[in-house]
Amino acid sequence: DVMNNKVYMNFFNFIMDNYLGDLLPYRENFIPPFIFSAIPKIRLDYRYTKDLLLYEDVMGSLLTLNLHITSSCNANCNACKEYYRQMNSCTIRDGDPKNMDISLVRKLLLENRFVNLSRINILGGNISCYCYLDELLKLLEPYRDRCYAYYNIHNIDSMGEKLVEFFSDRICVIIDLHLFDKIPNLELLKNRGYNIVFLVKNMFDIERIERLIPLNELTIMPFYSKDNLDFFKEYVFWNESDLLSMNHTFTSIHRNQFLNDSFFGEISVFPSGDVLVADGISCGNLNSLSIYDILSDLLLKEDSLWFLTRSKTDCNGCVFVNLCPSISKYELRIGQNNLCNKIDLQ
């Protein structure tokens, strides 16, 4: 009966076509074949085989480097210390010096070989206030096409020709609507090739933006302000139809079992030399530790955010645990791991 059932046979054919299994005739005393499970290359698991942790493996784990080169800025944004906890953004941290020592940048970029580094984000404060700007651009030259600059809209006029020429179309302009009436000519910013990023807290913000510029010509980033959880539940949280409409692959599902796709391979370095991951969580300081030591810890420690998967949280019992996007900065700020409108499986 099973062999004549179209639904079952479509499932069996799918399994066989993707080399996930086979359909074998059953015989008495039949011993099923042993199926080897895939072992991810990541870590191999390095936590238990530390002798296998090679320099190339460690340095190759860094994919995105965020450099906050200065804490100088006069913009006085309402949520200056909150933006960077939820997205790529400039910020000013208490206790940071005005400028990152250029020797630290030199040591980081010249004395190390990051074989898989695909993006360097340059942030402030106000980047234009960095006192070692000329030397910084020389150090970044080998990575030029991978470098992106982040400017708050209030500082965009301070960007000199050198910076505009160096970063070209890789300039991201962050706009918070708390000074909506002072937003400059967006058409002019768009014509310069800048990537415009609006931070929104509610639908009213989105409606105001839509009256200024078509939404498909910019990026909208929701900003959690502690009093707009209902907005997140309505427009940011996902539901079953959202999950099923995503383009899931065997690779993405397998990856979600072992690492955090939102955090893995990314660190932020601040003017003091502090190295942070995600929600302001420190993992060392480059004045006392090498980048190799810091990356090694991120690869080896059991509580590393790089490997914070949903199976380690209260999402563990959900059938969609490996289909959902990895835990992001939003979950950490909201204090809720499951940003979903919970799915009733009954």
Side-chain angles (χ1 to χ4, degrees):
D1 291 339
V2 172
M3 300 298 291
N4 294 325
N5 187 303
K6 186 176 180 181
V7 174
Y8 283 123
M9 288 309 300
N10 286 340
F11 173 70
F12 295 149
N13 288 330
F14 174 82
I15 294 294
M16 291 184 287
D17 289 345
N18 288 278
Y19 302 99
L20 298 174
D22 207 348
L23 189 62
L24 301 174
Y26 174 78
R27 298 187 302 274
E28 193 173 351
N29 301 321
F30 175 73
I31 300 176
F34 183 81
I35 300 176
F36 292 91
S37 60
I39 300 176
K41 183 179 185 298
I42 184 64
R43 285 200 285 192
L44 284 177
D45 194 331
Y46 293 134
R47 289 169 301 172
Y48 308 112
T49 55
K50 295 183 181 181
D51 291 340
L52 294 177
L53 191 58
L54 304 176
Y55 177 86
E56 290 78 8
D57 294 324
V58 174
M59 306 312 280
S61 67
L62 185 62
L63 310 177
T64 302
L65 175 62
N66 303 316
L67 286 179
H68 290 261
I69 56 175
T70 177
S71 62
S72 295
C73 181
N74 296 316
N76 295 317
C77 296
N78 281 0
C80 174
K81 293 178 173 61
E82 279 294 316
Y83 296 144
Y84 84 101
R85 294 179 181 272
Q86 300 183 34
M87 62 207 69
N88 284 335
S89 173
C90 46
T91 189
I92 296 177
R93 293 194 321 153
D94 294 335
D96 269 340
K98 291 294 184 183
N99 296 283
M100 179 183 289
D101 195 321
I102 194 62
S103 64
L104 191 150
V105 183
R106 193 184 302 118
K107 180 179 179 180
L108 186 63
L109 296 180
L110 293 184
E111 296 182 14
N112 299 287
R113 189 165 62 91
F114 303 111
V115 293
N116 295 319
L117 184 60
S118 60
R119 183 170 178 132
I120 300 178
N121 296 321
I122 305 300
L123 313 99
N126 181 357
I127 297 173
S128 300
C129 294
Y130 188 50
C131 65
Y132 305 109
L133 205 51
D134 289 342
E135 186 169 354
L136 174 70
L137 296 183
K138 290 178 182 178
L139 292 170
L140 293 175
E141 185 60 41
Y143 303 94
R144 185 172 186 145
D145 61 344
R146 288 171 272 176
C147 292
Y148 292 76
Y150 283 77
Y151 266 85
N152 185 284
I153 186 65
H154 308 301
N155 296 325
I156 197 67
D157 290 337
S158 68
M159 186 185 301
E161 290 184 11
K162 283 185 180 179
L163 286 168
V164 173
E165 180 184 354
F166 184 89
F167 290 103
S168 184
D169 59 350
R170 301 179 305 281
I171 298 170
C172 302
V173 181
I174 300 167
I175 303 175
D176 185 342
L177 292 185
H178 77 280
L179 292 176
F180 183 82
D181 296 333
K182 297 183 180 180
I183 292 175
N185 189 325
L186 290 178
E187 197 65 32
L188 178 61
L189 296 180
K190 188 164 65 73
N191 290 339
R192 290 177 181 173
Y194 296 163
N195 302 295
I196 302 172
V197 182
F198 271 103
L199 310 185
V200 301
K201 301 173 186 174
N202 48 52
M203 274 304 297
F204 179 59
D205 286 346
I206 296 176
E207 290 168 358
R208 287 195 295 175
I209 295 168
E210 202 167 15
R211 290 195 289 268
L212 294 174
I213 187 171
L215 296 182
N216 62 352
E217 297 180 4
L218 49 86
T219 299
I220 288 181
M221 295 294 295
F223 176 68
Y224 176 64
S225 57
K226 298 183 180 180
D227 60 356
N228 62 340
L229 186 59
D230 288 341
F231 169 70
F232 269 72
K233 287 181 178 179
E234 180 71 22
Y235 298 102
V236 180
F237 284 27
W238 55 85
N239 53 37
E240 184 175 359
S241 61
D242 296 325
L243 288 178
L244 296 180
S245 66
M246 295 176 184
N247 183 26
H248 301 289
T249 65
F250 291 114
T251 300
S252 65
I253 294 171
H254 197 55
R255 183 173 60 239
N256 285 344
Q257 291 180 273
F258 294 95
L259 58 82
N260 185 299
D261 214 19
S262 300
F263 303 147
F264 184 84
E266 182 171 355
I267 60 172
S268 298
V269 184
F270 284 82
S272 63
D274 283 341
V275 179
L276 277 62
V277 176
D279 186 27
I281 299 172
S282 177
C283 49
N285 188 292
L286 289 176
N287 291 306
S288 56
L289 293 171
S290 69
I291 188 64
Y292 175 88
D293 292 331
I294 291 173
L295 294 178
S296 295
D297 278 351
L298 287 169
L299 283 171
L300 294 172
K301 284 187 175 179
E302 290 285 348
D303 59 352
S304 170
L305 283 182
W306 280 13
F307 298 97
L308 176 61
T309 59
R310 293 195 175 276
S311 61
K312 297 177 181 176
T313 70
D314 46 10
C315 297
N316 186 39
C318 179
V319 69
F320 295 105
V321 65
N322 294 320
L323 293 182
C324 285
S326 292
I327 291 172
S328 69
K329 292 181 179 181
Y330 287 128
E331 280 93 336
L332 298 184
R333 291 313 293 160
I334 293 174
Q336 178 178 331
N337 289 321
N338 51 337
L339 295 193
C340 60
N341 295 307
K342 289 191 175 181
I343 301 165
D344 185 3
L345 298 177
Q346 301 300 319

